[in-house]
Amino acid sequence: MTLVKFNPVRDLLKFEREFNRMFNALENRFGISRSPEIDEEYENADWMPLTDIYENNDKFTLKVDLPGIKKEDVRINYANGKLSISGERVQESETKDAKWHRIEKSYGKYFRSFTLPEKIQEDKISAEFNGGLLTITIPKAEEAKPKEIEIKF
C-alpha cells in the first residue's frame, strides 16, 4: 500500500478550482457577464427575459420573450463583444371597481447580456419586434463560416 501525505492546501485549491469552473459554466449558460458596468445593470434589474439562442452556418439568432412590452420600451446595445437588452415593464394600476387576485408576471426593470463571438458582422446586427417577441439576428463574419474542403485525387 502506498502512503499518501495529507495536504489540506492542495485539497482547498482543488475545491476552489472546481467551484470556479461550476460558476463559470453557469454564467456562460445563462448569459451572465462579470464586467463591472454590466454588474450594475444586473443589480438594478428585477427580472430577466427568457431567451432562445440558435445558430446556423450564416448567423446567430436570439429570440427574447417580452410579452406586454412596447417596442419603444426595449433598448439593445452592443459594445466590446457584449450584446445587452434592457428596459422596464410597468405594472397596470388597479381600477376602483376591481381588485387583483393574483399577479404572476414580472414587473420592473429587466436586463439580459450575452457575450458574442469575435467573428461577427457588428454593423449588420438587426432586430425585429413583433407580438412581444424580440428577434435579434447577428450575421457571422465570412472567416467564421464553415467551409467545405474538397478532397483531391
Side-chain angles (χ1 to χ4, degrees), residues 63-121:
K63 292 192 177 243
V64 185
D65 282 339
L66 296 170
I69 297 177
K70 296 180 214 153
K71 178 177 132 178
E72 300 81 37
D73 296 333
V74 179
R75 288 188 315 273
I76 304 169
N77 294 313
Y78 176 77
N80 302 323
K82 297 202 184 306
L83 180 80
S84 60
I85 303 160
S86 60
E88 186 171 4
R89 180 175 10 209
V90 181
Q91 187 171 3
E92 300 169 21
S93 59
E94 191 170 335
T95 60
K96 291 184 180 188
D97 59 339
K99 64 179 181 176
W100 293 94
H101 288 278
R102 183 179 298 201
I103 299 174
E104 293 185 343
K105 288 186 200 172
S106 297
Y107 291 96
K109 293 182 180 183
Y110 62 88
F111 182 79
R112 196 74 194 262
S113 175
F114 304 93
T115 302
L116 300 178
E118 293 178 19
K119 297 181 179 179
I120 62 165
Q121 297 179 32

Side-chain angles (χ1 to χ4, degrees), residues 12-139:
L12 283 173
L13 289 172
K14 183 179 177 188
F15 179 73
E16 181 185 20
R17 273 195 303 276
E18 286 298 313
F19 204 71
N20 287 337
R21 185 188 61 76
M22 179 183 69
F23 276 106
N24 287 337
L26 285 173
E27 288 172 359
N28 293 335
R29 179 177 174 98
F30 294 109
I32 299 173
S33 175
R34 298 294 298 182
S35 65
E37 61 273 359
I38 290 180
D39 280 346
E40 183 179 335
E41 290 278 356
Y42 276 116
E43 291 296 322
N44 294 329
D46 296 314
W47 62 285
M48 291 173 42
L50 300 174
T51 305
D52 293 335
I53 303 171
Y54 60 92
E55 75 173 290
N56 60 22
N57 290 339
D58 299 326
K59 65 186 176 206
F60 295 93
T61 303
L62 284 76
K63 292 192 177 243
V64 185
D65 282 339
L66 296 170
I69 297 177
K70 296 180 214 153
K71 178 177 132 178
E72 300 81 37
D73 296 333
V74 179
R75 288 188 315 273
I76 304 169
N77 294 313
Y78 176 77
N80 302 323
K82 297 202 184 306
L83 180 80
S84 60
I85 303 160
S86 60
E88 186 171 4
R89 180 175 10 209
V90 181
Q91 187 171 3
E92 300 169 21
S93 59
E94 191 170 335
T95 60
K96 291 184 180 188
D97 59 339
K99 64 179 181 176
W100 293 94
H101 288 278
R102 183 179 298 201
I103 299 174
E104 293 185 343
K105 288 186 200 172
S106 297
Y107 291 96
K109 293 182 180 183
Y110 62 88
F111 182 79
R112 196 74 194 262
S113 175
F114 304 93
T115 302
L116 300 178
E118 293 178 19
K119 297 181 179 179
I120 62 165
Q121 297 179 32
E122 298 175 18
D123 56 333
K124 298 205 174 161
I125 296 174
S126 64
E128 181 181 319
F129 193 75
N130 188 9
L133 182 67
L134 173 65
T135 304
I136 302 173
T137 304
I138 305 159

